[in-house]
């Protein structure tokens, strides 16, 4: 709106300069790009990311399988009185020797991280690939949608920032041009300043 008001203000102003009109048009173009172009870029980027992430979700669900693992001896245990500020960090370091059978029938025994302490003989779910190797839990569609939205917002914000940076750079160049013209005009005026026959 400020750009539109600026254009209207300078439209019939007798002291307007070409750089004033140029600056107003640049501001209007930047405003339209930020309001319309940046969201469009974010939407297309989010849509593309969502498609790619959904394909990754489908591939992960095809290639990863939940299996039951049996806990053996724990490798580390929480202290009797854990520090409340570091409990989550400590729990993330808990490791247990576990046994499981992969989808291909192979038997595995390994030391794996567990979110909480497991008693020997306890069963819990893990995710493995086709050869029985442990892999992260596959992403679900909700997480894919969230990641796509975040990607779209990031692209929209970056596009808006680039447009605004371009506008500021263009206005800076216009200001440099104005100052140069003012300096040249003052130099011309200074030669005749105060003379009786200068016509002033």
């Amino acid at each position: 709106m400020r750009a539109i008001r600026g254009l209207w203000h300078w439209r019939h102003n007798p002291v307007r300069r070409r750089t004033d009109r140029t600056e107003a048009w640049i501001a209007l173009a930047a405003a339209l790009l930020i309001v319309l172009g940046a969201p469009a870029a974010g939407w297309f980027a989010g849509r593309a990311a969502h498609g790619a992430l959904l394909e990754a979700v489908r591939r992960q669900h095809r290639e990863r399988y939940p299996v039951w693992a049996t806990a053996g001896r724990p490798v580390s245990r929480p202290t009797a009185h854990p520090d409340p500020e570091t409990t989550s960090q400590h729990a993330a370091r808990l490791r247990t020797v576990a046994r499981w059978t992969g989808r291909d029938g192979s038997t595995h025994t390994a030391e794996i991280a567990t979110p909480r302490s497991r008693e020997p003989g306890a069963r819990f779910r893990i995710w493995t690939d086709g050869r029985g190797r442990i892999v992260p839990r596959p992403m679900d569609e909700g997480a894919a949608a969230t990641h796509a939205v975040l990607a779209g917002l990031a692209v929209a914000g970056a596009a808006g920032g680039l447009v605004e940076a371009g506008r500021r750079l263009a206005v800076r160049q216009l200001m440099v041009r104005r100052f140069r013209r003012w300096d040249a005009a003052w130099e011309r005026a200074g030669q005749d300043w105060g003379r009786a026959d200068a016509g002033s």
Side-chain angles (χ1 to χ4, degrees):
M1 294 302 297
R2 181 179 177 185
I4 296 173
R5 287 198 303 269
L7 280 173
W8 186 261
H9 173 73
W10 288 109
R11 197 162 65 103
H12 298 296
N13 194 315
V15 297
R16 72 184 184 277
R17 298 161 296 187
R18 180 179 298 175
T19 55
D20 294 324
R21 292 195 302 269
T22 302
E23 182 178 349
W25 282 112
I26 289 173
L28 177 62
L32 290 175
L33 285 174
I34 290 173
V35 172
L36 301 175
W43 185 81
F44 282 111
R47 183 177 178 185
H50 190 239
L53 288 169
L54 285 180
E55 178 58 32
V57 168
R58 287 190 288 268
R59 185 176 64 253
Q60 289 179 5
H61 279 275
R62 285 194 308 265
E63 298 173 352
R64 301 180 185 185
Y65 311 97
V67 299
W68 286 102
T70 303
R73 60 177 177 81
V75 177
S76 61
R77 292 183 181 275
T79 57
H81 302 286
D83 183 355
E85 296 180 0
T86 60
T87 298
S88 59
Q89 298 175 359
H90 184 78
R93 293 195 299 268
L94 292 175
R95 302 187 70 81
T96 301
V97 175
R99 298 185 314 276
W100 68 92
T101 301
R103 185 179 175 85
D104 60 353
S106 58
T107 302
H108 301 266
T109 301
E111 182 181 307
I112 62 174
T114 58
R116 55 191 174 86
S117 179
R118 304 282 181 176
E119 293 296 327
R123 287 165 53 88
F124 57 96
R125 298 279 251 179
I126 60 172
W127 288 85
T128 64
D129 62 10
R131 297 182 179 179
R133 295 174 298 194
I134 295 178
V135 293
R137 182 187 183 91
M139 189 188 320
D140 58 20
E141 294 187 4
T146 301
H147 285 29
V149 169
L150 293 175
L153 290 174
V155 169
L162 286 175
V163 170
E164 177 60 14
R167 185 195 69 80
R168 288 175 181 266
L169 181 61
V171 170
R172 181 188 177 96
Q173 293 300 319
L174 289 173
M175 291 299 296
V176 169
R177 187 181 302 176
R178 285 175 188 160
F179 288 139
R180 287 176 180 170
R181 288 180 179 175
W182 286 342
D183 290 342
W186 274 112
E187 285 181 6
R188 289 193 302 271
Q191 298 173 2
D192 298 328
W193 188 262
R195 288 176 52 185
D197 59 347
S200 58

